[in-house]
Amino acid sequence: AAALEFEKNGVDHLVSVHHRDVCGKTTAPTTTDTNTDVCPTGDDGTGGFQLPPHSVDAIFLDLPEPWEAVPHAALTLKPNIGKLGCYSPCLEQTQ
């Protein structure tokens, strides 16, 4: 949905959308895995952004525990200019 919004608003050439387990809390999927806590296809379960170090200007996280992704974000953001934004759940969402 976000990628379509970026395209609709003409900023898709500036923004990329990635869906993966950046915290490394899930396991890599197998052909016989029935666990609902598995990674999206193509995700190896190790966490991180799978982008070159110090290569992005900004990262926005929409996670229940965004602080767990901060170490990975620090390795991916450009030094001294990288920005990190997080959407934090409200109390009702955590209950």
Side-chain angles (χ1 to χ4, degrees):
L4 293 174
E5 285 294 319
F6 294 140
E7 182 179 356
K8 178 180 156 185
N9 290 291
V11 295
D12 55 320
H13 64 288
L14 300 172
V15 179
S16 61
V17 177
H18 301 272
H19 178 252
R20 62 175 276 109
D21 174 18
V22 295
C23 298
K25 289 184 144 190
T26 56
T27 58
T30 64
T31 55
T32 58
D33 207 337
T34 57
N35 182 0
T36 58
D37 201 25
V38 296
C39 301
T41 303
D43 194 337
D44 60 8
T46 60
F49 293 90
Q50 290 188 337
L51 295 168
H54 312 296
S55 64
V56 298
D57 295 312
I59 295 174
F60 290 90
L61 301 170
D62 188 3
L63 303 169
E65 298 168 333
W67 52 88
E68 293 185 357
V70 169
H72 298 294
L75 295 173
T76 308
L77 290 166
K78 290 180 180 177
N80 302 318
I81 62 168
K83 306 292 184 217
L84 178 63
C86 301
Y87 298 101
S88 299
C90 63
L91 183 58
E92 291 79 18
Q93 290 175 301
T94 61
Q95 296 176 349

